[in-house]
Amino acid sequence: MSLVSKNNTATNKVELEIKVSAEDFDKACDKVYKRRVKRIEIPGFRKGKAPRKTIEKLYGEGFFFEEAVNDLYPEAVRSAVEEAGIEIVCPPSVDVAELSKENGVTFKAVCTTKPEVSIKDYKGIKASKEVKEVTDEDIAAEIDRLRNRNARTITVEGRPAENGDSVIIDFEGFVDDVAFEGGKAEKFNLTLGSGQFIPGFEDQIVGHNAGDAFDVNVTFPEDYHAEELKGKPAVFKVVLHEINAKELPEVDDEFAKDVSEFDTLDALKEDIRKRLAEANEKTASDAFENKLIDTVIENLEGEIPEEMYEVQIDEMIRDFEYRLNQQGLELNMYLQYTGMNRDSFRKTFEAQAQRRVKVRLALEKIVELEKIEATEEEIEKEYARLAEAYKMDVEKIKGIIPSADVAKDIASNKAIDLIRDSAVAE
């Protein structure tokens, strides 16, 4: 395999001509033959014992060509890209320019390369940093959250349902007096005011008592995910079985002992104030850093190929789909529920993907300009951190993540430190 030529056809586009010799092509065909011969039956030969020449004579000289080409081109292209000294940002488009037993294979690979970028004024950036003060209202809200988290659920008697109650209901929905799919449930637990059901449904349960049977009249939204129900009026037959409410604990020293390590309410409040102040400081620091990064990418210049954005979107969608699967959901089900198709779903990632690509290019350029490097000690420390995070052996992590990638991440983080440490808070 050899690189015949390298031609710049456009900005960030390089065409490579790659030659695989007749000898190497014949070896690839022979490997395909050995892999497939066991499944081939030829009259006069036991199954799997027919010679390659006999098979090619019967089915044509090119019988093994396509599979041999598919076996050859990944390594041929990888080797040629390395020999050409280019860094590609997505899988290249590969075509077969010539193919014969006598001359071997010639590939044409169109590669999208990492763009050349420039950056200026990444040191001494001015940006505002505003740390939100912790108020008594903030502390009270946190206390309320603790109360709700430690509330008891009690069955309500002697009053109708109110917003905030959780109710146990049976329901069945009808459109034009016909029950529709997915509109029926028994002993369903619904929190009134949660907005879990379509507008108007929960409001019409408020005021009813346990044991009541009644109709709920609603209209499905025009953007409802089920096409056949969009904008349709519906009637739900509802039976209210049970009303439950939260009983909140009193806010006193006993409450503090029950929900925390502190003996008094004042000590608990002081700890909450401290934790909220730390959280506000982190939020402000993160916002300050994001402002700095926004300025950095504004000062980035270069023609970024669209393919880089598309690859980033692909990665983000794969990550999103993985997290959905962890929750027991499929992407197609999610799209149906949200009323999106693949194209509209993909567009939701565009802005974030573009920012990520620009940030990565900017940081890599700063690393280059400042000659930033990761030390062996820093690389080993990061491997140890990753092993702890993923609960895996360090050596296994090293086998999965190349040290060059770890070093690049460390260097990029150092570039962020440089930007932040040289910045001026206004």
Side-chain angles (χ1 to χ4, degrees), residues 367-368 370-383 402-415:
V367 166
E368 176 191 326
E370 297 290 336
K371 298 179 172 56
I372 299 173
E373 294 181 348
T375 66
E376 287 300 323
E377 182 181 354
E378 289 169 334
I379 293 171
E380 290 300 320
K381 185 176 179 180
E382 179 63 8
Y383 270 130
S403 61
D405 290 351
V406 174
K408 185 181 285 189
D409 287 343
I410 293 170
S412 292
N413 286 331
K414 285 185 174 183

Side-chain angles (χ1 to χ4, degrees), residues 15 36 41 52 82-83 94 107 157 169-170 191 203 286-287 324 359 388 397 411 426:
E15 184 182 79
R36 293 180 56 187
E41 293 186 54
R52 175 182 161 188
E82 185 177 328
E83 187 178 343
V94 182
F107 295 110
E157 296 178 355
I169 58 172
D170 295 343
T191 299
D203 293 341
D286 289 345
L324 273 182
V359 169
E388 174 64 26
I397 286 285
E426 294 180 324

Side-chain angles (χ1 to χ4, degrees), residues 139-154 163-166 191-192 244-251 255 258-259 268 272:
I139 296 171
E142 186 63 26
I143 291 289
D144 282 343
R145 277 190 283 274
L146 286 172
R147 292 181 75 199
N148 277 284
R149 199 180 303 158
N150 291 274
R152 290 193 310 127
T153 299
I154 59 171
N163 268 322
D165 290 341
S166 61
T191 299
L192 301 181
N244 296 303
K246 287 182 178 179
E247 185 176 68
L248 300 176
E250 292 294 325
V251 181
F255 169 74
D258 289 340
V259 302
L268 172 60
I272 291 172

Side-chain angles (χ1 to χ4, degrees), residues 217-266:
N217 295 278
V218 293
T219 300
F220 282 97
E222 292 294 341
D223 60 351
Y224 194 67
H225 63 85
E227 188 68 33
E228 68 278 8
L229 297 176
K230 288 182 177 180
K232 295 285 184 67
V235 177
F236 284 86
K237 302 290 183 181
V238 178
V239 176
L240 175 55
H241 291 289
E242 188 176 306
I243 304 170
N244 296 303
K246 287 182 178 179
E247 185 176 68
L248 300 176
E250 292 294 325
V251 181
D252 52 23
D253 289 346
E254 289 303 315
F255 169 74
K257 291 176 184 177
D258 289 340
V259 302
S260 73
E261 62 192 73
F262 302 101
D263 292 330
T264 66
L265 181 60
D266 287 342

Side-chain angles (χ1 to χ4, degrees), residues 203-383:
D203 293 341
Q204 294 179 57
I205 296 176
V206 171
H208 285 283
N209 293 286
D212 286 355
F214 52 93
D215 289 350
V216 168
N217 295 278
V218 293
T219 300
F220 282 97
E222 292 294 341
D223 60 351
Y224 194 67
H225 63 85
E227 188 68 33
E228 68 278 8
L229 297 176
K230 288 182 177 180
K232 295 285 184 67
V235 177
F236 284 86
K237 302 290 183 181
V238 178
V239 176
L240 175 55
H241 291 289
E242 188 176 306
I243 304 170
N244 296 303
K246 287 182 178 179
E247 185 176 68
L248 300 176
E250 292 294 325
V251 181
D252 52 23
D253 289 346
E254 289 303 315
F255 169 74
K257 291 176 184 177
D258 289 340
V259 302
S260 73
E261 62 192 73
F262 302 101
D263 292 330
T264 66
L265 181 60
D266 287 342
L268 172 60
K269 288 183 176 180
E270 187 56 38
D271 180 69
I272 291 172
R273 184 181 295 277
K274 179 184 175 182
R275 286 189 286 108
L276 291 178
E278 290 172 351
N280 288 352
E281 174 62 36
K282 185 179 186 310
T283 298
S285 295
D286 289 345
F288 178 66
E289 188 172 293
N290 281 327
K291 289 177 184 177
L292 300 179
I293 295 299
D294 286 341
T295 301
V296 166
I297 61 178
E298 285 172 8
N299 294 336
L300 180 72
E301 294 182 355
E303 192 170 330
I304 302 173
E306 192 66 29
E307 289 88 343
M308 290 192 76
Y309 300 137
E310 295 302 319
V311 167
Q312 182 63 61
I313 291 172
D314 289 340
E315 290 180 7
M316 294 168 72
I317 288 176
R318 280 194 296 271
D319 180 64
F320 185 90
E321 189 167 9
Y322 172 78
R323 287 185 280 112
L324 273 182
N325 292 341
Q326 293 295 101
Q327 300 171 42
L329 295 173
E330 296 293 331
L331 182 57
N332 287 336
M333 184 188 303
Y334 174 83
L335 294 178
Q336 183 179 359
Y337 180 76
T338 57
M340 287 191 287
N341 58 32
R342 291 269 174 173
D343 288 339
S344 59
F345 174 66
R346 192 175 181 83
K347 285 184 182 298
T348 63
F349 293 93
E350 281 184 359
Q352 190 179 0
Q354 290 179 8
R355 189 178 192 276
R356 285 190 183 183
V357 169
K358 290 175 181 178
V359 169
R360 184 167 73 246
L361 289 172
L363 294 178
E364 288 173 356
K365 191 63 180 179
I366 293 170
V367 166
E368 176 191 326
L369 294 172
E370 297 290 336
K371 298 179 172 56
I372 299 173
E373 294 181 348
T375 66
E376 287 300 323
E377 182 181 354
E378 289 169 334
I379 293 171
E380 290 300 320
K381 185 176 179 180
E382 179 63 8
Y383 270 130

Side-chain angles (χ1 to χ4, degrees), residues 74-114:
E75 177 56 27
V77 172
R78 188 204 64 76
S79 179
V81 166
E82 185 177 328
E83 187 178 343
I86 59 175
E87 185 176 349
I88 61 176
V89 298
C90 63
S93 172
V94 182
D95 292 316
V96 176
E98 184 181 350
L99 172 63
S100 70
K101 188 174 183 179
E102 295 76 23
N103 298 319
V105 189
T106 299
F107 295 110
K108 291 281 183 73
V110 178
C111 305
T112 303
T113 58
K114 181 180 175 182

